[in-house]
Amino acid sequence: MANLSCIFFTAFLLQCTFLNVFAILDPVDFLALQAIRKSLDDLPGSNFFASWDFTSDPCNFAGVYCDADKVIALNLGDPRAGSPGLTGRLDPAIGKLTSLAELSIVPGRVIGKLPQSLSQLKNLRFFAISRNFVSGEIPAALGQLRGLRTLDLSYNQLTGAIPQSIGTLPELSNVILCHNKLSGSVPPFLSHALTRLDLKHNDLSGSLAPDSLPPSVQYLSLSWNRLSGPVDRLLSRLDQLNYLDLSLNQFNGNIPGRIFTFPITNLQLQRNAFAGPVQPPDQVTIPTVDLSHNMLSGQISPSFSTVQNLYLNNNRFTGQVPGSFVDHLLDASIQILYLQHNFLTGIEINPTAEIPSSSSLCLQYNCMVPPVQMQCPLRSGKQKTRPTAQCHEWRG
C-alpha cells in the first residue's frame, strides 16, 4: 500500500505539471512540511492551518515563504494579537529545511524539547519560539548556527545551563531567554554585534567576568536571578547601554560613577548588595534611577537632583539632603524622591512649603523628624523616625 505522504506528493506533482503556474517545491522540503503539519495543530479559535492543503502549492501556505524550490522562512501560527496559537510539538523534520533563514512559532501551547536537528539549519538567521511550553535543555548544537542573529526562547519551561557554544556565535545580535528555569552561569558572549541580552527571571548564578560582554550591548536585563560578585569593571565598558536592569540579584562592590553618563533611560540596580559611596561625575540625566535596597553609604550626591524618579531608600546614606533636591522637588521636575530607611540627618525645606501634587517625597525612618507632610509607600512602615540609638551607633 502506497504511503499517504507519497500519494499527496504525487498529486502535488501532477497538479504542478497540469497548471504549470508555479515552481515545484523540493521533495525534501515538501515532506518536511508534511511532518511539521502532522505534529502541530491549531488551538480552538485558530485557523492557521486551514490553507495547508498539500494538493496545492505549499509556497502559498500561510506562514511559508519560498525562494525558487526551497522554503526560506517558516512563521507558524497566526501573528495577530490575541490569536490562540498552536499546540503539539516541533517535529525533528524541521532540520530538513536546509535553506531556512527564519523560523518562528507564535505564542501558544507547543510542548516538548527543541529538536537536535535544528543544528542542520546552517542558514538560520532568526529563531523565535516565545511564550509556549517548550521544555528540556537548549541544544548545545545550536552553536553550529554560525549565522544566527536573533535567538528568542523566552517565556517557556527550559532548564539546564545556557550552552557555552551559544556565546561563541559571531553574528548574534539579540538573545532573549527570559522567564525560563535556566541555571548555571552566564557564558561569555563574544559577538560584537550583540545589542540585546535579556536573561531575567531564571535561576542563573555565579559571577560575570569584566570582559564577558561586548561593548556593543545596549539592552541588558539580568534581574530576578542569583548572580553575584562585582560588576564595576564590566559595566564601565558598556558605554552604549540605554537600558540596564540588574535588580534582585546578589551583586556587590561599587557602582561605577561612569555609568551615570551613559545614554540610559532606565537604570534598575535595586535589591543587591552594592556598597560604598556613589559619585556621578556630572548631573545625571537618566529619567529613572533605582538604587534602593542596597548597602550604599556616604552622602547623597547633588548630581542626582536632576533625576525625575529617584529611589535611594533602604541604604546607609548619611548627612544632609542637598538643597538642589528641594528646588527641583518644589518646581515639580522631581516626581518621585524616595529617601526613607537611611541615616540622613536633615533637609532644608520650609515646613509650610507645598510639595506639588504630582511629586512624592518620602523621608521617614531616618535620623531626623520629617519637616513636611510626605507621601510614602505603605511598605515603608509607620515609624517616622529611626531610633536614636541606631543613629548614634551608625555615627560612632
Side-chain angles (χ1 to χ4, degrees):
M1 183 175 177
N3 183 282
L4 186 59
S5 297
C6 294
I7 295 174
F8 275 135
F9 188 60
T10 302
F12 166 65
L13 290 177
L14 288 172
Q15 187 170 7
C16 288
T17 304
F18 181 74
L19 295 176
N20 195 28
V21 293
F22 52 80
I24 300 174
L25 187 67
D26 184 293
V28 175
D29 285 32
F30 182 91
L31 295 174
L33 287 177
Q34 278 198 325
I36 291 165
R37 172 63 185 92
K38 288 176 183 176
S39 66
L40 292 169
D41 213 338
D42 284 302
L43 282 168
S46 173
N47 294 307
F48 174 75
F49 283 122
S51 68
W52 282 48
D53 176 3
F54 284 93
T55 62
S56 62
D57 181 8
C59 294
N60 290 330
F61 291 178
V64 178
Y65 303 88
C66 302
D67 183 14
D69 65 339
K70 303 295 288 184
V71 177
I72 60 169
L74 192 57
N75 304 133
L76 296 170
D78 186 342
R80 291 176 295 184
S83 170
L86 307 177
T87 184
R89 301 170 184 267
L90 184 59
D91 194 275
I94 189 69
K96 299 293 185 181
L97 300 176
T98 53
S99 294
L100 206 61
E102 180 177 325
L103 172 60
S104 66
I105 301 180
V106 301
R109 299 192 67 85
V110 175
I111 62 172
K113 297 181 179 181
L114 294 173
Q116 292 287 337
S117 60
L118 287 166
S119 64
Q120 299 169 25
L121 305 178
K122 305 302 183 186
N123 294 299
L124 200 64
R125 302 286 184 269
F126 181 94
F127 180 32
I129 304 181
S130 179
R131 296 179 186 273
N132 279 279
F133 292 83
V134 179
S135 58
E137 298 188 357
I138 300 173
L142 291 185
Q144 298 175 30
L145 307 179
R146 306 307 288 174
L148 192 65
R149 294 171 186 170
T150 293
L151 177 63
D152 183 357
L153 303 175
S154 58
Y155 293 89
N156 278 290
Q157 306 289 325
L158 294 166
T159 55
I162 302 172
Q164 294 278 331
S165 60
I166 299 295
T168 68
L169 293 173
E171 297 188 35
L172 265 186
S173 176
N174 301 288
V175 180
I176 309 169
L177 303 176
C178 59
H179 289 269
N180 278 287
K181 300 176 182 178
L182 298 170
S183 57
S185 59
V186 177
F189 284 87
L190 307 181
S191 170
H192 286 277
L194 187 67
T195 58
R196 183 184 183 98
L197 180 62
D198 190 347
L199 305 179
K200 65 177 174 283
H201 282 268
N202 278 289
D203 193 31
L204 299 169
S205 58
S207 58
L208 302 175
D211 58 353
S212 59
L213 299 177
S216 56
V217 174
Q218 298 175 17
Y219 181 105
L220 179 59
S221 182
L222 303 176
S223 64
W224 288 89
N225 280 288
R226 293 187 296 114
L227 297 165
S228 58
V231 288
D232 51 334
R233 291 171 60 197
L234 171 64
L235 293 180
S236 294
R237 296 174 56 252
L238 306 182
D239 57 2
Q240 302 299 309
L241 282 172
N242 57 46
Y243 182 91
L244 177 61
D245 187 355
L246 304 183
S247 62
L248 291 124
N249 278 287
Q250 299 162 21
F251 290 120
N252 56 36
N254 295 323
I255 297 175
R258 187 165 182 260
I259 70 166
F260 297 103
T261 67
F262 296 168
I264 297 173
T265 57
N266 196 317
L267 178 61
Q268 305 283 332
L269 300 180
Q270 69 271 25
R271 296 187 184 274
N272 279 285
F274 291 117
V278 187
Q279 297 295 335
D282 204 347
Q283 291 300 127
V284 180
T285 58
I286 303 171
T288 297
V289 174
D290 193 341
L291 309 182
S292 65
H293 294 272
N294 280 288
M295 295 185 288
L296 302 170
S297 59
Q299 297 199 346
I300 295 174
S301 170
S303 298
F304 284 117
S305 64
T306 45
V307 175
Q308 196 172 21
N309 302 293
L310 182 63
Y311 303 84
L312 298 180
N313 53 287
N314 295 82
N315 277 288
R316 299 174 181 178
F317 288 113
T318 56
Q320 291 262 333
V321 178
S324 53
F325 281 94
V326 176
D327 297 337
H328 288 113
L329 191 65
L330 296 179
D331 69 16
S333 57
I334 291 180
Q335 292 186 357
I336 294 176
L337 180 58
Y338 280 178
L339 303 176
Q340 68 270 22
H341 287 257
N342 279 288
F343 293 83
L344 300 169
T345 53
I347 181 171
E348 291 189 15
I349 186 170
N350 191 322
T352 62
E354 288 193 15
I355 297 174
S357 59
S358 61
S359 301
S360 296
L361 169 67
C362 187
L363 289 167
Q364 72 182 52
Y365 212 72
N366 276 288
C367 298
M368 61 174 167
V369 177
V372 290
Q373 197 71 24
M374 300 177 298
Q375 294 183 19
C376 291
L378 288 175
R379 61 182 178 274
S380 299
K382 296 182 179 180
Q383 285 185 279
K384 289 190 173 182
T385 305
R386 186 179 287 277
T388 306
Q390 288 187 19
C391 294
H392 286 321
E393 181 181 344
W394 187 251
R395 290 172 192 164

